[in-house]
Amino acid sequence: MLPVEVRDARVAAATFLVPVSAAQALVAPTGLEVRRLPAGRAACSLAFIDYRDNDLGRYHEVAVAFLVRPHDGSKGVGAYIHQLPVDGAFTCEAGRTIWGFPKFIADAPITGNRVELSHESRHILTLDVRRRPLPMPGREATANAYSFLDGVLRCTPWTVRPTGVRGGLGGASLVLGDHPVAQELRSLGLPKRAVFSSTIERMGARFGPAQVIGAHP
């Protein structure tokens, strides 16, 4: 079954600068350290993905992620996936079982560059990413995605192949609801102006097997 291939997905994302102390408070249970940026800031990204052709079926997904330092102290950065609601039962179970991703079933209708995310009839967020003005190069890249579920930290290699990439400063509107996930985002000082946002018209990707890094009670 592994690696899992994504043949066609559409992505929109917004990155926000948030206080490093607030971000670290959410990341701390994993044992990871957020990547510290100038002026005591950290990067929090919100992304929504329409998986149109994928080994796990077609579904929508919303990610809350932080840039973190690699667990082994090496150079570079990784992405810690803090929340990952999806609207499909099979991908939810597969994501939790295979990679330890913190998936849960939610309603995530995507219309163009807009997603309205809710869980058990409670609004989590609405994110609208305007069409970005600048075409950007789409290069294949590999990164480590960290997940933390039931006290176990895992690291999954993730290769992306984007085409039709556009980006620009600002360009995103975020509204938060009354769900606990929305309250987590408020603890970061959101909603606020995005520092950068982007869209990918077509993304291919490959997810390899997860490596268990350690357990944290």
Side-chain angles (χ1 to χ4, degrees):
M1 183 177 180
L2 296 174
V4 164
E5 291 284 345
V6 176
R7 288 167 289 277
D8 181 17
R10 190 174 186 278
V11 184
T15 297
F16 302 86
L17 295 182
V18 301
V20 69
S21 58
Q24 186 60 45
L26 295 182
V27 174
T30 70
L32 295 169
E33 181 182 352
V34 295
R35 184 76 176 182
R36 181 180 290 269
L37 302 176
R41 300 294 178 179
C44 175
S45 293
L46 306 181
F48 54 95
I49 306 100
D50 178 1
Y51 287 98
R52 298 181 288 207
D53 185 3
N54 172 25
D55 285 349
L56 300 180
R58 181 166 188 175
Y59 60 94
H60 294 167
E61 180 175 87
V62 180
V64 178
F66 296 93
L67 286 184
V68 295
R69 294 183 179 276
H71 68 280
D72 58 4
S74 60
K75 294 182 179 179
V77 294
Y80 165 55
I81 312 301
H82 180 62
Q83 300 283 1
L84 199 62
V86 296
D87 68 355
F90 179 74
T91 184
C92 183
E93 180 62 26
R96 293 177 67 89
T97 301
I98 299 170
W99 299 286
F101 284 133
K103 293 190 175 186
F104 62 91
I105 298 292
D107 295 315
I110 295 173
T111 305
N113 290 341
R114 176 186 176 94
V115 66
E116 296 186 37
L117 178 66
S118 61
H119 175 239
E120 296 180 342
S121 300
R122 295 179 69 181
H123 181 221
I124 299 177
L125 62 82
T126 299
L127 180 61
D128 198 333
V129 178
R130 295 193 295 274
R131 177 174 169 79
R132 303 289 57 224
L134 301 176
M136 305 179 70
R139 301 188 182 93
E140 181 173 308
T142 299
N144 286 327
Y146 290 97
S147 60
F148 187 68
L149 187 66
D150 297 331
V152 179
L153 178 66
R154 296 175 174 85
C155 180
T156 298
W158 174 37
T159 300
V160 296
R161 303 177 302 277
T163 57
V165 183
R166 303 182 72 89
L169 299 176
S173 172
L174 174 65
V175 176
L176 297 178
D178 63 352
H179 189 275
V181 173
Q183 299 302 337
E184 279 192 339
L185 295 174
R186 283 194 177 90
S187 77
L188 300 170
L190 301 179
K192 63 191 300 186
R193 185 177 185 272
V195 66
F196 187 83
S197 59
S198 61
T199 57
I200 302 173
E201 288 302 320
R202 186 182 181 95
M203 182 188 75
R206 178 183 300 113
F207 294 88
Q211 174 190 359
V212 173
I213 303 302
H216 301 267

